[in-house]
Amino acid sequence: IVDNLDQAIEEGWIQVHYQPIVRSTNGKVCDVEALARWHDPTRGMLMPSAFIPVLEESMLIHKLDLCVVQLVLKHLKANEEAGNPTVPVSINFSRADFDAYALVSEICTLVDAAQVDRKLINIEITESVVGRDFEFIKQQVERFREQGFQVWMDDFGSGYSSLDVLQ
């Protein structure tokens, strides 16, 4: 995984699959979640459980996540140019992303360069991100919100947070 990540990104082995988020009140797709998938030409489809933990442990998850952002932006821009309807896309970020680089600035730069409305990108973090250095993460969430992004919490209730922390 680690040795092949750069090649996987360069050769398009990393792909984005979209999982619809449907409103229960009207049954309509209101958003989608971008999910990274690794299609290795010799090993076939790698499950996220096979590559995401490895990339997080090796502090390389930011490369995968930035690749996903770029693929999502390309897709959104192509949809817009084709006149197709678009819905916001939720993109997952790891704690390692916040540690690896200036995540807020990088996302703003990529989204603006692609000329995509920031309202079309939702920043999704797992509650485990909040579990360590709460004040830092709180500041990052506030910065994203100030820049026009919604911030969502994924896996809420799975271990670290309470409604008070979420608030």
Side-chain angles (χ1 to χ4, degrees):
I1 299 300
V2 171
D3 293 341
N4 290 313
L5 178 61
D6 290 334
Q7 181 180 10
I9 291 170
E10 289 170 18
E11 296 192 17
W13 302 350
I14 306 297
Q15 299 176 359
V16 174
H17 292 208
Y18 294 96
Q19 177 174 301
I21 300 170
V22 179
R23 289 212 191 283
S24 60
T25 56
N26 62 15
K28 293 185 179 183
V29 174
C30 58
D31 296 271
V32 294
E33 182 175 5
L35 303 172
R37 297 295 182 257
W38 186 318
H39 296 272
D40 187 280
T42 55
R43 296 158 139 188
M45 170 83 101
L46 301 178
M47 298 304 296
S49 60
F51 62 89
I52 291 177
V54 172
L55 295 175
E56 285 180 333
E57 287 175 27
S58 61
M59 299 301 290
L60 293 173
I61 192 71
H62 67 281
K63 287 185 174 188
L64 173 74
D65 292 342
L66 287 176
C67 174
V68 169
V69 170
Q70 291 171 336
L71 292 170
V72 165
L73 292 171
K74 183 178 178 181
H75 181 249
L76 283 169
K77 194 65 180 173
N79 257 357
E80 179 186 315
E81 290 173 354
N84 296 330
T86 57
V87 295
V89 179
S90 173
I91 303 173
N92 291 296
F93 292 96
S94 161
R95 173 62 202 219
D97 289 315
F98 288 93
D99 294 338
Y101 58 97
L103 183 62
V104 177
S105 298
E106 184 68 22
I107 299 305
C108 288
T109 299
L110 291 172
V111 172
D112 294 347
Q115 298 179 330
V116 170
D117 189 336
R118 291 179 180 183
K119 289 181 171 64
L120 290 174
I121 301 295
N122 296 322
I123 306 302
E124 190 166 334
I125 59 175
T126 60
E127 71 173 281
S128 61
V129 167
V130 178
R132 197 177 88 224
D133 197 357
F134 176 78
E135 284 304 316
F136 171 74
I137 295 300
K138 181 180 174 189
Q139 290 171 359
Q140 301 310 301
V141 168
E142 288 172 1
R143 287 185 60 214
F144 269 124
R145 293 179 71 200
E146 289 167 0
Q147 295 299 321
F149 296 96
Q150 284 191 24
V151 180
W152 293 11
M153 185 169 286
D154 192 20
D155 298 335
F156 178 73
S158 63
Y160 289 91
S161 58
S162 67
L163 291 174
D164 289 336
V165 171
L166 179 61
Q167 184 177 1

